[in-house]
Amino acid sequence: MPFPPPPRTLLGPRRRSLLLSAAGAALLVGCSTGDDSGTTGGSESAAELARARAAADSETLLRHYDTVLAAYPTLAPRLDPLRAEVVRHTTAFGGTGSTPSATTTASPSTTASPTAAPATEGDALAGLAAAERTLADRRAKALLDLPGELARLLASVAAAGAAHAYLLTESAQ
């Protein structure tokens, strides 16, 4: 039985390597076009509206945390780090990062602020987890219609909100 001829030695990268490299480069370029200045005037106002809505949503969530902390100060070691993140999210969207007064009008899309504290600590944690989860889901849906940098910020904050919901759920068990 004769031996097969030796494989032809190729110099340089193979076609598959080039295709994968080109596809990866296209993805990186698509993800890193941080210049949103080329957007139209209509999308800029939509982006500003989305940013204001996100700040108002974060301020409403901040009020929820403050209501729970006022009713259950023993939860402070668990909730203070999460509340601090919500403050950072609020300021990232252009909000004040402090609990607004009761006269502040919230956007219609915001999570309703609790009027009374929940009956138990477990209910309080479950309520915060539900608020975080609802807001994270809403933000994840909203980011599809936004320009690059704001969409990335909203995606990051939505992911943090989902993590907060998980941590609050785990804390309640």
Side-chain angles (χ1 to χ4, degrees):
M1 176 181 276
F3 291 110
R8 193 172 90 179
T9 306
L10 298 174
L11 300 174
R14 293 186 173 200
R15 185 175 10 179
R16 184 180 301 149
S17 299
L18 288 174
L19 289 174
L20 289 175
S21 298
L27 285 174
L28 287 175
V29 168
C31 290
S32 63
T33 59
D35 183 20
D36 293 333
S37 61
T39 59
T40 64
S43 64
E44 283 181 19
S45 72
E48 288 306 312
L49 228 69
R51 185 179 292 275
R53 188 176 314 119
D57 286 347
S58 291
E59 287 174 346
T60 300
L61 185 60
L62 189 58
R63 282 195 305 271
H64 196 150
Y65 271 92
D66 289 345
T67 299
V68 170
L69 284 167
Y72 300 104
T74 57
L75 290 175
R78 284 187 198 167
L79 298 183
D80 282 345
L82 300 178
R83 184 190 181 282
E85 287 294 316
V86 174
V87 169
R88 281 191 279 278
H89 299 160
T90 304
T91 56
F93 289 121
T96 62
S98 63
T99 306
S101 66
T103 60
T104 302
T105 54
S107 152
S109 68
T110 60
T111 309
S113 179
T115 55
T120 66
E121 285 184 3
D123 290 343
L125 292 173
L128 278 173
E132 287 273 17
R133 191 175 304 107
T134 300
L135 188 53
D137 291 345
R138 187 177 325 128
R139 286 176 169 166
K141 289 177 187 167
L143 69 91
L144 298 174
D145 300 325
L146 298 175
E149 195 61 38
L150 182 57
R152 285 188 281 277
L153 175 61
L154 203 60
S156 175
V157 173
H164 289 183
Y166 173 77
L167 292 171
L168 289 164
T169 303
E170 288 300 306
S171 298
Q173 293 178 353

